[in-house]
Amino acid sequence: MSVSVNYTQSPEGIIAGPVNEENFFEWEALIMGPEGTCFEGGVFPARLTFPTDYPLGPPKMKFTCEIFHPNIYPDGRVCISILHAPGDDPMGYETSAERWSPVQSVEKILLSVVSMLAEPNDESAANVDAAKTWRDDRKKFEDIAERTVKKSLGL
């Protein structure tokens, strides 16, 4: 498995790399909440798990902290097109170009997740409560996000 992001080459606001040198299939990441968003200032830990057929199959990503977001399941799993298996979407929602392909990099995945934090897709919700709150009561959503930011910092 080739790795394209390490602790010294991560994009700004992201630290990522293998959990240890014996297992390159498990990575940890710290993602800073994007500036100008309700997640700004937060530091959100996540885990990437790569399949044995990587790069043919996409990794799975899961936040290991509480985060209330339309595209993150309540258990922390990230739902974003770039992490969906390659090929046509059986539901017809995504094009094959939006889904995983072996040319994607870990850096591109992490940057896509930062973009997702900044711009939730409430049309394709992994967390229905978060999507409904995002759509119907933005102030409440931002208050909940602010609490998760403080929690991520141990405050």
Side-chain angles (χ1 to χ4, degrees):
M1 176 169 106
S2 67
V3 290
S4 59
V5 174
N6 65 39
Y7 288 106
T8 59
Q9 296 176 327
S10 298
E12 187 175 331
I14 300 170
I15 298 171
V19 171
N20 62 55
E21 292 181 17
E22 287 82 47
N23 183 1
F24 284 94
F25 291 96
E26 290 287 328
W27 282 37
E28 56 191 0
L30 292 174
I31 299 175
M32 293 184 62
E35 281 186 38
T37 73
C38 54
F39 296 103
E40 182 176 0
V43 180
F44 303 100
R47 190 106 5 183
L48 288 121
T49 305
F50 295 86
T52 55
D53 70 345
Y54 179 83
L56 299 177
K60 293 184 182 338
M61 184 171 178
K62 182 176 183 178
F63 281 95
T64 58
C65 65
E66 182 182 323
I67 187 163
F68 188 69
H69 189 282
N71 308 116
I72 301 171
Y73 287 98
D75 69 0
R77 287 177 296 135
V78 175
C79 181
I80 189 170
S81 299
I82 194 172
L83 294 177
H84 294 162
D88 292 327
D89 178 6
M91 305 299 277
Y93 180 75
E94 302 164 333
T95 67
S96 60
E98 295 172 296
R99 296 167 69 90
W100 178 257
S101 84
V103 300
Q104 305 292 4
S105 65
V106 174
E107 180 179 11
K108 174 112 192 261
I109 294 166
L110 296 171
L111 289 171
S112 294
V113 170
V114 170
S115 292
M116 176 201 74
L117 288 174
E119 299 175 26
N121 178 359
D122 62 358
E123 298 297 318
S124 178
N127 182 328
V128 176
D129 290 338
K132 184 169 175 24
T133 306
W134 169 261
R135 233 184 344 257
D136 300 342
D137 191 346
R138 191 66 56 93
K139 172 78 172 101
K140 181 179 178 183
F141 181 90
E142 291 170 355
D143 289 346
I144 294 169
E146 185 178 319
R147 283 198 301 273
T148 62
V149 165
K150 288 180 180 174
K151 211 178 225 185
S152 81
L153 300 172
L155 303 175

